[in-house]
Structures are given as structure tokens and as C-alpha cells.
Amino acid sequence: MSIRVMLVDDQVLLRTGFRMVLAAQPDMEVVAEAGDGVEALEVLRSTAVDVVLMDVRMPKLDGVETTRRICAEPGAPKVLILTTFDLDEYAFSGLKAGASGFMLKDVPPAELLGAIRSVHSGDAVVAPSTTRRLLDRFSPMLPSSGKEPQHKELERLTEREREVMMLVAQGLSNGEIAARLVLSEATVKTHVGRILTKLGLRDRVQVVVLAYETGLVRAGGGGMG
């Protein structure tokens, strides 16, 4: 079955370009388009969509608030934020709003297509290290917290799960975490899955956001150089 994609961008030429790229793929189809957030929400009420490519700077209702409203609905489509500038503050807000990741608008077509497929399969499309750079830069936007995690649900994690969560937030892949902790990659994947379930998170991008918000990982700290 084809991945049903919706394009949300106030620039018609950009939507046209994305539509042409997606139309050439046997496993994708553009089922809807919108020029702003208000229109997007209206269209989604009557159209089944799997993945939304979401611009952030739009009239009437921006992409961040639109993403927040979409992700608040049960069975919501996955949202992939498209931003013009790397480390755009809007990308940070989009991740907090529930997006499964963000990409630059000038990303090579092959990477965009790969991202759509990844999001559709339930993965996050932002490299954890990129997310960490984003959070490091905009850490002043986060609520201040002490050294101890303030999120009560973190208490539900085992010591090993908390250790895995910290490494995810520091930008390590499952394979790198497995090597660091001397575990199999399958075991690490299981731990990540349990972390998502226990904390009610959608993907590892939100794991990173929560780790910073609770003080489990501090901006500028961690194991990535």
C-alpha cells in the first residue's frame, strides 16, 4: 500500500516540486495539499494521511501549532518538519509539538524520500546528534531544573533503561549504545522500546527532548565531541 503524503507549505512552487518527486515513487502518493495550517487541519478531517510534510513559517496558523494540534489527535499521521535553516528555533518547537523529526528544505530528494519512509515505519528521521546540537543551542528555552530528573515517570525506568536513555540523548545510535554497554543491538532496541512505552513517547526524538527537559542530560554535556 502506498504511503499517503500531505504537503503543507504556503509556497506553491515548493509543493509542486515535492509533488513531482513523490509522484515518481511507486510506494508514495500525494493525497492532499494545503497552503497554511488552518487549511491543513480542515483537509485532514476528511482525508486519510500517513505522513505530513510540514512547513513552519506560514500565514494564519504556523507549522508548529498545526503540528501540535495534529499530534494531539488519536491515530494522527506522522509529521516531518521542513525548515529553511539548519538549527532553526522552529524545528526545536516542532519536535516538542510532536513531530517525528525535521529536515532542511534543500535536502537531496533521496534523503527526503528515505525520511518519509522512516517516519512512516515509526522511526525518527533526525540523527540524534543533530537533535542534541539543536537542544544545546536552544537550551535556554527549556525550563530550568535541578540536577535530578523532575519527570516523575522517569522513576518507572530501570537503572539500565535510564542509562540507555542518557546515551540516546547524547546522540548515540543503537549500535553505538550496544558497544558502549556491551549488549546486543537487539537488546538495546528492546530497551528503547520499553522507554518509549513507559514514558508515553512517540520516538527517540522525544526521548532526547525529555532527557534535556528533566535534566537527565545537560546542555553541552555528554559523550559526543
Side-chain angles (χ1 to χ4, degrees):
M1 179 180 290
S2 295
I3 302 173
R4 297 165 298 191
V5 181
M6 180 179 189
L7 306 176
V8 183
D9 197 301
D10 60 337
Q11 297 183 50
V12 178
L13 283 177
L14 269 176
R15 295 206 309 268
T16 300
F18 286 138
R19 185 172 63 247
M20 290 175 63
V21 171
L22 270 57
Q25 303 304 305
D27 61 338
M28 297 182 191
E29 61 175 326
V30 176
V31 297
E33 295 185 34
D36 60 65
V38 172
E39 183 182 0
L41 293 173
E42 291 176 353
V43 172
L44 282 171
R45 293 191 185 100
S46 59
T47 306
V49 173
D50 298 314
V51 178
V52 178
L53 295 187
M54 180 73 70
D55 185 23
V56 287
R57 305 186 188 194
M58 298 182 294
K60 297 184 180 179
L61 192 66
D62 67 36
V64 174
E65 180 59 28
T66 305
T67 296
R68 183 176 293 110
R69 296 187 190 185
I70 290 174
C71 294
E73 296 295 324
K78 301 297 179 65
V79 177
L80 179 57
I81 294 284
L82 296 176
T83 179
T84 306
F85 304 104
D86 192 14
L87 300 183
D88 191 325
E89 67 272 19
Y90 285 94
F92 168 82
S93 300
L95 295 179
K96 288 200 65 179
S100 293
F102 75 93
M103 300 198 77
L104 298 180
K105 284 187 176 181
D106 61 358
V107 65
E111 289 187 27
L112 176 64
L113 296 170
I116 293 171
R117 294 185 180 103
S118 294
V119 166
H120 181 251
S121 68
D123 291 333
V125 300
V126 182
S129 57
T130 303
T131 307
R132 180 169 172 262
R133 288 205 332 272
L134 180 77
L135 289 166
D136 281 349
R137 176 167 176 176
F138 295 107
S139 58
M141 298 169 60
L142 295 172
S144 59
S145 59
K147 293 183 178 180
E148 292 300 315
Q150 302 298 310
H151 199 279
K152 286 188 176 181
E153 292 187 11
L154 288 184
E155 298 172 3
R156 300 172 59 187
L157 300 181
T158 65
E159 184 177 348
R160 176 66 85 187
E161 287 166 352
R162 186 173 295 204
E163 195 173 11
V164 169
M165 181 175 178
M166 289 179 66
L167 294 176
V168 167
Q170 289 170 18
L172 275 65
S173 67
N174 286 353
E176 291 168 335
I177 294 172
R180 176 77 64 89
L181 300 181
V182 194
L183 299 171
S184 71
E185 193 165 343
T187 298
V188 173
K189 188 173 182 180
T190 298
H191 282 312
V192 172
R194 288 175 178 165
I195 292 167
L196 295 177
T197 299
K198 288 184 177 182
L199 301 182
L201 304 175
R202 290 178 62 148
D203 51 45
R204 65 193 296 138
V205 171
Q206 293 192 338
V207 170
V208 179
V209 172
L210 182 61
Y212 273 72
E213 286 189 316
T214 58
L216 189 64
V217 173
R218 305 304 298 169
M224 293 289 288

